[in-house]
Amino acid sequence: MVNKELEMIVHLQDLDLMIDEAHDVEKLGFAISGCEELKAARQELAAKISKPLLYRYERLRGKLKRAVVPVKNDICLGCFLRQPTAVGAQGREGNEIFVCENCGRMLYWID
């Protein structure tokens, strides 16, 4: 369950980043098509995520460009700080969503 929700949060973040990029390109004066479809897909995906997790994600996104980051070799790829070994072992199991003790981003393990 947690892995599925975390996966949806990662996809939501990808959509948010694409929407942000589209807005940046529009600010430069170029026409962008498909932005409305991205927003609709975002709304549809956000409706499937539990409200507390979505709120946590939205709060982090307000402060940080990337609210969810991977961990590789026990290093948070958001702030590049090594995570405690115990957190890494539990994080790989995927039963719980962990946050980086340094930057506060939600973490997922890719190794």
Side-chain angles (χ1 to χ4, degrees), residues 59-76:
R59 221 177 73 209
L60 278 171
R61 269 285 289 165
K63 294 190 291 187
L64 306 164
K65 186 172 183 174
R66 292 188 178 269
V68 186
V69 294
V71 175
K72 186 171 185 177
N73 297 327
D74 288 332
I75 295 176
C76 168

Side-chain angles (χ1 to χ4, degrees), residues 34-102:
C35 197
E36 293 307 315
E37 287 86 357
L38 287 173
K39 289 177 183 175
R42 189 207 185 279
Q43 281 185 334
E44 186 179 319
L45 185 59
K48 295 177 183 175
I49 300 170
S50 68
K51 297 293 179 209
L53 184 59
L54 183 62
Y55 175 75
R56 207 163 118 194
Y57 166 77
E58 297 287 355
R59 221 177 73 209
L60 278 171
R61 269 285 289 165
K63 294 190 291 187
L64 306 164
K65 186 172 183 174
R66 292 188 178 269
V68 186
V69 294
V71 175
K72 186 171 185 177
N73 297 327
D74 288 332
I75 295 176
C76 168
L77 295 182
C79 67
F80 302 102
L81 191 79
R82 181 171 293 279
Q83 298 301 302
T85 306
V87 171
Q90 292 174 341
R92 283 182 188 85
E93 293 174 4
N95 297 328
E96 204 175 324
I97 295 176
F98 288 92
V99 296
C100 177
E101 292 179 355
N102 186 51

